[in-house]
Amino acid sequence: MPYSTVHIGQIEGGRALNIEPAECVLKMEFRHLSEAPARQLLSEIEGIAKRVSNSFPNAKPITVNQINA
C-alpha cells in the first residue's frame, strides 16, 4: 500500500443513549510507511490529545497508550 492508514476498530463507553459516559475508549491501529517513523507518529498523536484535553479543562484528560509497535 503506498500510504499510511488509520483504523478505529473498537469504541467502548457509556450505558445508555441519554447518559453522558464518564469514559470512552477508542482502540485504533496505525499502519505507517517506513518514511514516517513510529515514534514521530506517536508524538503527534499525543500532542493532539493534549491540545484537545487542554480545551476541556473540566473533563478527564485524554491518555494515549501504545500497545504495540
Side-chain angles (χ1 to χ4, degrees), residues 1-6 30-36:
M1 191 171 289
Y3 48 86
S4 299
T5 63
V6 61
F30 287 89
R31 292 185 181 218
H32 60 92
L33 297 176
S34 59
E35 298 86 31

Side-chain angles (χ1 to χ4, degrees), residues 6-28:
V6 61
H7 167 74
I8 297 177
Q10 290 182 313
I11 301 174
E12 303 169 6
R15 296 182 301 150
L17 290 175
N18 62 341
I19 300 173
E20 184 177 316
E23 181 175 279
C24 180
V25 177
L26 301 176
K27 294 185 180 178
M28 305 176 350

Side-chain angles (χ1 to χ4, degrees), residues 42-54:
L42 179 60
S43 179
E44 290 178 25
I45 294 166
E46 290 170 334
I48 292 167
K50 186 173 184 172
R51 284 195 306 273
V52 172
S53 291
N54 289 341

